[in-house]
């Protein structure tokens, strides 16, 4: 399946968001995630089903002014 | 004592965390200046990356209030989604709402700002809007439910200090009961003193500290300047006069002929 992760098109095997994070090497409790502009909280990630062409934004805390 | 959305805050200096030479210097600047609120952002993580983890660890050790921002957002949609992500990650209702209207001036897009503030306040956020000193915009933000305003005094990162002192003075006079925090444009401690002498409640700084020769010392200098300006304002200052007035009594002066 093709999805867009942080703006980059990627081929993935995962069906659920938690699996996708493992597959792509995103690990940790410091991630904030939106799929197609909707926030997916940490507790929702195990059961959140990924769909073809989903736009997935994976963010983390950063310095800011 | 400063109160922001019913949270009592002792330090009137709020500090941004970007552009420092190292995370250790951010930490020392925060500790040495007594800062209680820092601003932070969200950016894309890289696969296998640990940037977020390292910064998360740093902010945990600082034991301060976190004020996530929506810096870099140019639309209502971007800002609202960023705010929701920040709330999910940082577990805070606070959001520094920043929507940029112009790439070159980094001027706040005040029309989008008002609309985004309405949406977020309806969702329970406590919004700190980065705005101008326009009084009508300020009124609309307050009508939307903002209980703090953050006007610029000059463009972000410009270090120019107060560009329109009359505008800032008017804003203070029109909104005596709303906490006003100047955000952006300050370059030197003397700028901070002048703003605090106008009766402003606090100052949010980043570049002036982060890009100083010695950021740790500069953070302390700003903290002291802000305290000095605030104390001066509270003490009641003389208005400037156009004529000289002797300080030593004239009556009783000896006359030598």
């Amino acid at each position: 399946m093709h999805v867009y992760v942080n703006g980059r098109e990627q081929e993935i095997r995962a069906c659920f968001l938690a699996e996708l994070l493992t597959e792509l090497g995103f690990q940790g409790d410091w991630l904030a995630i939106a799929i197609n502009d909707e926030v997916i909280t940490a507790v929702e990630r195990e059961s959140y089903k990924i769909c073809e062409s989903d736009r997935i934004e994976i963010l983390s805390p950063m310095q800011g002014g | 004592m400063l109160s922001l959305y019913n949270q009592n805050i002792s330090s009137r200096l709020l500090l941004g965390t970007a552009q420092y030479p190292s995370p250790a210097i951010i930490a020392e600047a925060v500790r040495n200046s007594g800062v209680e609120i820092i601003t932070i952002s969200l950016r894309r993580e890289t696969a296998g990356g640990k940037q977020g983890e390292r910064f998360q660890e740093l902010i945990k050790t600082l034991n301060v209030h976190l004020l996530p921002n929506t810096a870099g957002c140019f639309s209502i949609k971007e800002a609202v989604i960023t705010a929701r992500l920040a709330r999910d990650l940082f577990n805070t209702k606070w959001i520094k709402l920043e929507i940029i209207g112009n790439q070159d001036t980094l001027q706040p897009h005040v029309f989008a700002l008002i609309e985004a503030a309405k949406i977020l306040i309806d969702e329970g956020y406590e919004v700190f809007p980065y705005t101008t000193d326009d009084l009508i915009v300020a009124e609309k933000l307050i009508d939307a439910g903002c209980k703090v305003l953050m006007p610029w005094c000059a463009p972000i990162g410009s270090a120019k200090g107060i560009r329109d002192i009359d505008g800032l003075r008017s804003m203070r006079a029109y909104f005596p009961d709303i906490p006003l925090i100047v955000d952006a444009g300050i370059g030197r401690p003397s700028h901070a003193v002048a703003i605090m002498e106008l009766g402003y409640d606090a100052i949010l700084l980043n570049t002036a500290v982060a890009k100083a020769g010695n950021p740790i010392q500069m953070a302390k200098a700003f903290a002291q300047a802000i305290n000095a300006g605030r104390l001066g304002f509270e003490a009641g200052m003389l208005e400037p006069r156009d004529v000289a007035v002797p300080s030593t009594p004239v009556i009783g002066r000896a006359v030598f002929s």
Side-chain angles (χ1 to χ4, degrees):
Chain A
M1 171 162 51
H2 286 90
V3 295
Y4 297 87
V5 177
N6 288 346
R8 193 164 145 248
E9 187 176 5
Q10 294 199 252
E11 173 82 30
I12 57 157
R13 294 186 304 276
C15 295
F16 295 93
L17 177 55
E19 294 172 358
L20 176 142
L21 295 174
T22 305
E23 182 179 334
L24 298 182
F26 289 98
Q27 294 296 321
D29 62 358
W30 62 89
L31 301 173
I33 300 176
I35 299 183
N36 304 329
D37 303 334
E38 293 293 326
V39 177
I40 312 300
T41 64
V43 292
E44 296 170 316
R45 291 174 198 165
E46 286 289 338
S47 59
Y48 189 95
K49 208 165 183 324
I50 303 294
C51 296
E52 178 71 26
S53 301
D54 272 350
R55 291 174 292 106
I56 304 167
E57 289 288 331
I58 303 174
L59 308 181
S60 67
M62 204 63 66
Q63 295 89 337
Chain B
M1 181 78 79
L2 177 61
S3 178
L4 303 172
Y5 288 103
N6 297 317
Q7 184 75 52
N8 289 333
I9 304 292
S10 299
S11 173
R12 293 175 183 272
L13 169 60
L14 290 69
L15 205 56
T17 53
Q19 305 184 81
Y20 289 77
S22 73
I25 291 178
I26 299 174
E28 280 307 295
V30 168
R31 291 194 187 102
N32 271 274
S33 56
V35 161
E36 294 172 40
I37 300 173
I38 60 170
T39 55
I40 50 178
S41 69
L42 283 172
R43 288 291 180 267
R44 283 173 168 173
E45 182 60 281
T46 53
K50 297 285 184 187
Q51 277 187 315
E53 182 185 28
R54 284 193 291 271
F55 191 63
Q56 180 92 320
E57 289 304 314
L58 172 72
I59 57 184
K60 276 183 190 167
T61 66
L62 294 176
N63 196 26
V64 291
H65 298 283
L66 302 180
L67 178 55
N69 69 25
T70 62
C73 292
F74 282 80
S75 70
I76 297 170
K77 180 181 169 184
E78 284 178 321
V80 167
I81 295 170
T82 303
R84 289 172 181 158
L85 286 162
R87 187 173 182 172
D88 178 50
L89 187 57
F90 301 118
N91 195 28
T92 177
K93 290 188 282 186
W94 284 8
I95 190 75
K96 178 189 160 184
L97 184 58
E98 180 176 328
I99 303 179
I100 299 301
N102 182 284
Q103 181 80 57
D104 297 322
T105 63
L106 301 182
Q107 185 162 357
H109 189 320
V110 293
F111 306 105
L113 180 69
I114 294 165
E115 293 309 310
K118 286 179 187 168
I119 293 167
L120 292 172
I121 288 165
D122 279 349
E123 294 181 14
Y125 286 82
E126 294 175 340
V127 172
F128 293 64
Y130 164 61
T131 184
T132 66
D133 58 11
D134 187 286
L135 300 180
I136 307 304
V137 171
E139 267 182 2
K140 297 295 179 194
L141 289 167
I142 292 167
D143 289 347
C146 293
K147 298 189 186 312
V148 174
L149 298 176
M150 299 212 301
W152 67 352
C153 76
I156 294 172
S158 68
K160 281 183 176 295
I162 302 174
R163 272 202 319 195
D164 178 11
I165 195 164
D166 292 328
L168 289 181
R169 193 179 280 124
S170 292
M171 195 172 198
R172 179 72 287 177
Y174 270 81
F175 305 106
D177 301 322
I178 295 285
L180 297 178
I181 301 172
V182 164
D183 174 17
I186 292 169
R188 300 171 177 217
S190 57
H191 298 157
V193 174
I195 288 163
M196 296 305 290
E197 284 178 351
L198 293 174
Y200 274 70
D201 294 281
I203 288 175
L204 170 51
L205 287 171
N206 194 151
T207 311
V209 169
K211 304 300 274 185
N214 182 337
I216 299 166
Q217 188 167 324
M218 189 58 82
K220 199 169 181 180
F222 269 109
Q224 291 183 4
I226 287 166
N227 280 341
R230 181 68 190 181
L231 282 172
F233 168 73
E234 289 175 352
M237 290 171 294
L238 287 184
E239 288 305 313
R241 293 178 285 206
D242 291 330
V243 293
V245 179
S247 51
T248 303
V250 176
I251 294 171
R253 180 173 62 89
V255 176
F256 303 104
S257 56

